[in-house]
């Protein structure tokens, strides 16, 4: 089975036409893939093929305002909650009562919010490069360094102005190059994040010009407005500093050992010390040697194997029960 057999359709939900990529039998146990930013459904092409070949149904939507999905009527008011509500509506539309969730980075916040609000719908959750870290887990020394791209993109209009100097293909190219490195993308006071990449820098070896062209075409359609607005949103259903939300579902976190995100102050310590299990008691963490922030695209066979083992071990209505 190859990516050309992935089917595409549009679902009319919550007043919008949302694009969903699918592969596998509708009668098979379902796995929903939630992409990060600046990713799109296509980021899961390797994983969709693997889980479908193993007898599961792979579903990968584009969030509202991403790729082929309609933008919201007011992109400037878009929230994570909108994405969560769309996921619920997509599953209801497809008549899927229970699902395993696989999510990456930005998409992990959508996934964890979905899981906490709808635990009854969840068979298990796998996240790539991002462990569950609710407000109650934050400590003063977790502060992000000045000039880090996350802080820069929190400033209204700054990322839009930075991105706007380039065509969409160059923006996606630069982010893939930056985020596949082992160093945190940090800009000096008088430079922008896009300035950190030289035009002569090659793409990662595992990311082809064809892949880049696919991403660029999808973001040409949607632009970055909704994505950046939600990126800046701090409203997440992950509890408060006083609450201790518990993710009850079986959970796996897959992390590239060279992922720059593990250098964010406190993050690696939080995971390796086991403190994360205070909030996710049924957790397995796997580090992938030489893996970067896009480990699922960099080493798809290794990540696919981990996901399939997790699915077969934890999908109560799945194939290996």
């Amino acid at each position: 089975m190859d990516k050309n057999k992935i089917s595409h359709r549009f679902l009319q939900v919550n007043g919008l036409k949302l694009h969903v990529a699918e592969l596998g039998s509708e009668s098979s146990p379902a796995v929903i893939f939630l992409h990060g930013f600046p990713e799109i459904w296509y980021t899961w092409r390797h994983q969709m093929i693997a889980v479908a070949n193993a007898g599961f149904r792979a579903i990968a939507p584009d969030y509202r305002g991403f790729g082929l999905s309609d933008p919201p009527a007011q992109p400037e008011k878009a929230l994570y909650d909108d994405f969560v509500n769309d996921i619920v509506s997509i599953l209801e539309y497809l008549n899927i009562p229970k699902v395993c969730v696989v999510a990456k980075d930005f998409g992990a916040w959508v996934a964890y919010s979905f899981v906490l609000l709808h635990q009854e719908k969840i068979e298990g959750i796998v996240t790539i490069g991002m462990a569950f870290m609710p407000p109650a887990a934050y400590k003063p020394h977790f502060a992000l360094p000045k000039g880090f791209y996350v802080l820069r993109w929190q400033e209204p209009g700054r990322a839009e102005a930075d991105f706007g100097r380039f065509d969409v293909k160059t923006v996606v190219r630069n982010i893939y190059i930056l985020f596949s490195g082992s160093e945190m993308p940090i800009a000096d006071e008088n430079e922008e994040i896009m300035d950190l990449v030289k035009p002569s820098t090659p793409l990662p070896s595992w990311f082809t010009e064809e892949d880049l062209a696919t991403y660029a075409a999808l973001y040409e359609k949607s632009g970055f407005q909704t994505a950046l607005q939600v990126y800046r949103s701090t409203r997440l259903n992950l509890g408060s500093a006083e609450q201790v939300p518990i993710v009850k579902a079986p959970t796996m976190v897959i992390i590239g050992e060279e992922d720059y995100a593990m250098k964010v102050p406190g993050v690696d310590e939080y995971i390796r010390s086991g403190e994360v299990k205070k909030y996710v008691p049924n957790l397995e963490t796997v580090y992938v040697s030489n893996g970067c922030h896009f480990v699922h695209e960099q080493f798809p066979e290794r990540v696919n194997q981990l996901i399939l083992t997790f699915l077969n071990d934890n999908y109560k209505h799945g194939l290996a029960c």
Side-chain angles (χ1 to χ4, degrees):
M1 193 178 293
D2 61 41
K3 67 175 183 286
N4 293 323
K5 293 187 177 180
I6 295 173
S7 65
H8 301 268
R9 63 166 148 168
F10 294 88
L11 310 183
Q12 192 73 32
V13 298
N14 299 332
L16 298 173
K17 189 170 64 176
L18 301 184
H19 168 250
V20 176
E22 295 180 272
L23 189 62
S25 170
E26 291 186 4
S27 62
S28 297
V31 182
I32 190 165
F33 293 89
L34 305 180
H35 62 79
F37 172 70
E39 294 155 312
I40 214 74
W41 76 266
Y42 183 81
T43 194
W44 298 115
R45 59 201 179 280
H46 304 300
Q47 287 68 47
M48 293 181 73
I49 292 166
V51 302
N53 282 340
F56 293 90
R57 179 185 184 184
I59 302 162
D62 290 340
Y63 303 130
R64 59 171 61 198
F66 283 72
L68 299 177
S69 288
D70 283 350
Q74 296 178 293
E76 69 278 5
K77 295 183 179 180
L79 299 169
Y80 279 100
D81 285 354
D82 298 327
F83 293 172
V84 174
N85 292 335
D86 288 343
I87 299 307
V88 173
S89 296
I90 287 170
L91 294 177
E92 290 177 349
Y93 188 102
L94 298 175
N95 195 29
I96 297 172
K98 301 273 281 190
V99 69
C100 264
V101 182
V102 181
K104 158 75 166 53
D105 193 38
F106 172 99
W109 297 121
V110 181
Y112 284 126
S113 185
F114 169 57
V115 169
L116 287 172
L117 290 171
H118 303 280
Q119 306 240 20
E120 77 285 353
K121 298 180 183 293
I122 309 302
E123 296 282 13
I125 175 171
V126 178
T127 59
I128 312 292
M130 182 73 71
F132 180 58
M133 186 180 286
Y138 282 83
K139 296 178 173 61
H141 70 278
F142 286 9
L144 299 176
K146 187 177 180 181
F148 189 39
Y149 79 92
V150 173
L151 291 181
R152 286 291 182 87
W153 291 358
Q154 291 297 315
E155 299 177 31
R158 188 155 189 174
E160 286 87 341
D162 187 10
F163 291 8
R165 298 178 295 148
F166 305 93
D167 59 43
V168 168
K169 188 174 183 179
T170 300
V171 172
V172 175
R173 173 187 174 274
N174 287 354
I175 293 176
Y176 255 82
I177 290 170
L178 270 181
F179 288 11
S180 63
S182 60
E183 298 301 319
M184 296 173 63
I186 298 174
D188 290 335
E189 185 175 351
N190 295 319
E191 67 178 348
E192 299 299 327
I193 299 301
M194 289 293 104
D195 297 330
L196 296 176
V197 181
K198 295 179 180 178
S200 59
T201 307
L203 287 169
S205 60
W206 41 266
F207 192 72
T208 68
E209 288 290 342
E210 179 187 357
D211 294 331
L212 176 59
T214 300
Y215 275 86
L218 292 168
Y219 273 101
E220 283 281 2
K221 161 83 170 53
S222 65
F224 299 110
Q225 183 181 11
T226 304
L228 290 170
Q229 176 59 36
V230 175
Y231 198 94
R232 286 192 288 266
S233 170
T234 57
R235 181 179 170 184
L236 281 162
N237 289 297
L238 302 178
S240 67
E242 294 76 32
Q243 295 172 318
V244 181
I246 303 297
V247 175
K248 299 175 183 176
T251 304
M252 173 181 280
V253 176
I254 302 171
I255 297 171
E257 283 192 333
E258 300 300 319
D259 189 339
Y260 70 84
M262 291 303 104
K263 294 185 178 180
V264 174
V267 170
D268 196 41
E269 171 195 351
Y270 168 75
I271 297 170
R272 291 187 186 272
S273 70
E275 185 180 353
V276 61
K277 290 193 173 184
K278 179 179 177 181
Y279 310 99
V280 192
N282 192 1
L283 171 67
E284 178 183 5
T285 303
V286 180
Y287 286 83
V288 177
S289 297
N290 301 311
C292 72
H293 194 61
F294 300 104
V295 67
H296 65 300
E297 294 185 272
Q298 179 189 18
F299 296 124
E301 291 185 3
R302 172 63 174 144
V303 172
N304 293 349
Q305 178 187 33
L306 291 169
I307 291 173
L308 288 173
T309 299
F310 177 87
L311 292 175
N312 282 313
D313 286 348
N314 293 292
Y315 215 123
K316 295 184 182 67
H317 307 292
L319 303 177
C321 301

